Amino acid sequence: MSTGHETEAPHEDRQAEAYEVVFATTDQPGEDVVRMTRTDAAGPGGHPVYEDATGILRAEISSGGEVRVLATGGGQEPARVLRARAVT
């Protein structure tokens, strides 16, 4: 059913090459900001996968800025993502 308010999602090729992902800290008040760059991989939802400079932190980020942190090793407990902002 159409509501007349749909907007076309940006084409995947126009997705940002890098994001700053903001995480809530667990041991103190504040935030951690991590710059993540696009890889050639796609995540389970079909969106591009981004990783930090170490390659340890990986996340699937949709064109709408939704973030799904991906485990890269056993025993990881991902921090809570507050937001993601495209780096221009």
Side-chain angles (χ1 to χ4, degrees), residues 5-6 15 20 24 38-39 41 46 53 57 66-67 70 77 87:
H5 297 286
E6 291 84 6
Q15 184 134 0
E20 288 182 340
R38 188 174 177 167
T39 68
L57 182 59
E66 298 167 305
V67 180
L70 305 172
E77 191 173 317
V87 177

mmCIF file of all heavy atoms in Angstrom, residues 5-6 15 20 24 38-39 41 46 53 57 66-67 70 77 87:
data_model
loop_
_atom_site.group_PDB
_atom_site.id
_atom_site.type_symbol
_atom_site.label_atom_id
_atom_site.label_comp_id
_atom_site.label_asym_id
_atom_site.label_seq_id
_atom_site.Cartn_x
_atom_site.Cartn_y
_atom_site.Cartn_z
ATOM 1 N N HIS A 5 4.434 8.929 0.441
ATOM 2 C CA HIS A 5 5.567 9.575 1.108
ATOM 3 C C HIS A 5 6.861 8.799 0.957
ATOM 4 O O HIS A 5 7.826 9.083 1.648
ATOM 5 C CB HIS A 5 5.272 9.770 2.601
ATOM 6 C CG HIS A 5 4.122 10.658 2.861
ATOM 7 N ND1 HIS A 5 4.174 12.017 2.701
ATOM 8 C CD2 HIS A 5 2.853 10.385 3.246
ATOM 9 C CE1 HIS A 5 2.998 12.552 2.990
ATOM 10 N NE2 HIS A 5 2.173 11.570 3.323
ATOM 11 N N GLU A 6 6.898 7.809 0.079
ATOM 12 C CA GLU A 6 8.098 7.011 -0.085
ATOM 13 C C GLU A 6 9.188 7.844 -0.759
ATOM 14 O O GLU A 6 8.904 8.700 -1.580
ATOM 15 C CB GLU A 6 7.831 5.759 -0.939
ATOM 16 C CG GLU A 6 6.959 4.744 -0.266
ATOM 17 C CD GLU A 6 5.477 5.044 -0.416
ATOM 18 O OE1 GLU A 6 5.120 5.987 -1.154
ATOM 19 O OE2 GLU A 6 4.676 4.345 0.211
ATOM 20 N N GLN A 15 27.052 5.397 -1.946
ATOM 21 C CA GLN A 15 27.242 5.323 -0.499
ATOM 22 C C GLN A 15 28.628 5.870 -0.143
ATOM 23 O O GLN A 15 29.575 5.736 -0.900
ATOM 24 C CB GLN A 15 27.120 3.878 -0.023
ATOM 25 C CG GLN A 15 27.219 3.760 1.467
ATOM 26 C CD GLN A 15 26.160 2.877 2.061
ATOM 27 O OE1 GLN A 15 25.331 2.340 1.355
ATOM 28 N NE2 GLN A 15 26.202 2.729 3.350
ATOM 29 N N GLU A 20 32.223 7.957 10.291
ATOM 30 C CA GLU A 20 32.625 8.011 11.688
ATOM 31 C C GLU A 20 31.491 7.349 12.453
ATOM 32 O O GLU A 20 30.345 7.791 12.375
ATOM 33 C CB GLU A 20 32.810 9.451 12.157
ATOM 34 C CG GLU A 20 34.041 10.100 11.595
ATOM 35 C CD GLU A 20 34.249 11.510 12.105
ATOM 36 O OE1 GLU A 20 33.278 12.141 12.588
ATOM 37 O OE2 GLU A 20 35.378 11.978 12.015
ATOM 38 N N ALA A 24 28.867 4.194 22.407
ATOM 39 C CA ALA A 24 28.765 4.546 23.820
ATOM 40 C C ALA A 24 29.904 3.840 24.551
ATOM 41 O O ALA A 24 30.207 2.688 24.258
ATOM 42 C CB ALA A 24 27.418 4.083 24.377
ATOM 43 N N ARG A 38 35.204 1.956 3.694
ATOM 44 C CA ARG A 38 34.472 0.935 2.947
ATOM 45 C C ARG A 38 35.415 -0.144 2.423
ATOM 46 O O ARG A 38 36.520 0.134 1.980
ATOM 47 C CB ARG A 38 33.749 1.604 1.783
ATOM 48 C CG ARG A 38 32.806 0.694 1.055
ATOM 49 C CD ARG A 38 32.026 1.464 0.022
ATOM 50 N NE ARG A 38 31.158 0.572 -0.730
ATOM 51 C CZ ARG A 38 30.193 0.975 -1.513
ATOM 52 N NH1 ARG A 38 29.970 2.264 -1.672
ATOM 53 N NH2 ARG A 38 29.447 0.111 -2.152
ATOM 54 N N THR A 39 34.950 -1.389 2.500
ATOM 55 C CA THR A 39 35.677 -2.523 1.928
ATOM 56 C C THR A 39 34.919 -2.985 0.683
ATOM 57 O O THR A 39 33.874 -2.434 0.340
ATOM 58 C CB THR A 39 35.766 -3.694 2.931
ATOM 59 O OG1 THR A 39 34.447 -4.239 3.117
ATOM 60 C CG2 THR A 39 36.330 -3.249 4.276
ATOM 61 N N ALA A 41 33.561 -5.882 0.562
ATOM 62 C CA ALA A 41 32.627 -6.907 1.046
ATOM 63 C C ALA A 41 31.230 -6.329 1.264
ATOM 64 O O ALA A 41 31.058 -5.129 1.461
ATOM 65 C CB ALA A 41 33.144 -7.495 2.359
ATOM 66 N N GLY A 46 23.222 -7.156 2.714
ATOM 67 C CA GLY A 46 23.512 -6.712 1.361
ATOM 68 C C GLY A 46 24.135 -5.327 1.267
ATOM 69 O O GLY A 46 24.419 -4.839 0.181
ATOM 70 N N ALA A 53 40.955 1.035 10.946
ATOM 71 C CA ALA A 53 42.318 0.904 10.430
ATOM 72 C C ALA A 53 42.974 -0.417 10.811
ATOM 73 O O ALA A 53 43.848 -0.907 10.097
ATOM 74 C CB ALA A 53 43.170 2.077 10.919
ATOM 75 N N LEU A 57 37.569 -4.049 13.893
ATOM 76 C CA LEU A 57 36.200 -3.573 14.002
ATOM 77 C C LEU A 57 35.609 -3.477 12.605
ATOM 78 O O LEU A 57 36.116 -2.749 11.753
ATOM 79 C CB LEU A 57 36.157 -2.206 14.684
ATOM 80 C CG LEU A 57 34.785 -1.600 14.913
ATOM 81 C CD1 LEU A 57 33.913 -2.511 15.770
ATOM 82 C CD2 LEU A 57 34.915 -0.251 15.560
ATOM 83 N N GLU A 66 22.140 3.018 9.139
ATOM 84 C CA GLU A 66 21.926 1.949 10.111
ATOM 85 C C GLU A 66 23.188 1.099 10.189
ATOM 86 O O GLU A 66 23.755 0.750 9.165
ATOM 87 C CB GLU A 66 20.744 1.083 9.705
ATOM 88 C CG GLU A 66 19.443 1.857 9.651
ATOM 89 C CD GLU A 66 18.345 1.086 8.958
ATOM 90 O OE1 GLU A 66 18.543 0.666 7.818
ATOM 91 O OE2 GLU A 66 17.297 0.908 9.591
ATOM 92 N N VAL A 67 23.616 0.779 11.404
ATOM 93 C CA VAL A 67 24.885 0.081 11.616
ATOM 94 C C VAL A 67 24.635 -1.283 12.243
ATOM 95 O O VAL A 67 23.914 -1.400 13.229
ATOM 96 C CB VAL A 67 25.815 0.906 12.536
ATOM 97 C CG1 VAL A 67 27.128 0.183 12.767
ATOM 98 C CG2 VAL A 67 26.050 2.291 11.951
ATOM 99 N N LEU A 70 29.787 -6.340 13.023
ATOM 100 C CA LEU A 70 30.043 -7.728 12.652
ATOM 101 C C LEU A 70 31.186 -8.285 13.492
ATOM 102 O O LEU A 70 32.226 -7.637 13.635
ATOM 103 C CB LEU A 70 30.403 -7.816 11.163
ATOM 104 C CG LEU A 70 29.385 -7.200 10.195
ATOM 105 C CD1 LEU A 70 29.949 -7.168 8.784
ATOM 106 C CD2 LEU A 70 28.079 -7.969 10.250
ATOM 107 N N GLU A 77 32.221 -8.687 22.225
ATOM 108 C CA GLU A 77 30.946 -8.137 22.690
ATOM 109 C C GLU A 77 30.869 -6.699 22.180
ATOM 110 O O GLU A 77 31.447 -5.791 22.780
ATOM 111 C CB GLU A 77 30.872 -8.170 24.209
ATOM 112 C CG GLU A 77 29.498 -7.877 24.735
ATOM 113 C CD GLU A 77 29.428 -8.099 26.237
ATOM 114 O OE1 GLU A 77 29.962 -9.090 26.735
ATOM 115 O OE2 GLU A 77 28.827 -7.243 26.904
ATOM 116 N N VAL A 87 31.591 10.596 6.211
ATOM 117 C CA VAL A 87 32.732 11.502 6.132
ATOM 118 C C VAL A 87 32.834 11.958 4.689
ATOM 119 O O VAL A 87 32.868 11.142 3.771
ATOM 120 C CB VAL A 87 34.030 10.783 6.561
ATOM 121 C CG1 VAL A 87 35.223 11.714 6.393
ATOM 122 C CG2 VAL A 87 33.929 10.301 7.992
#
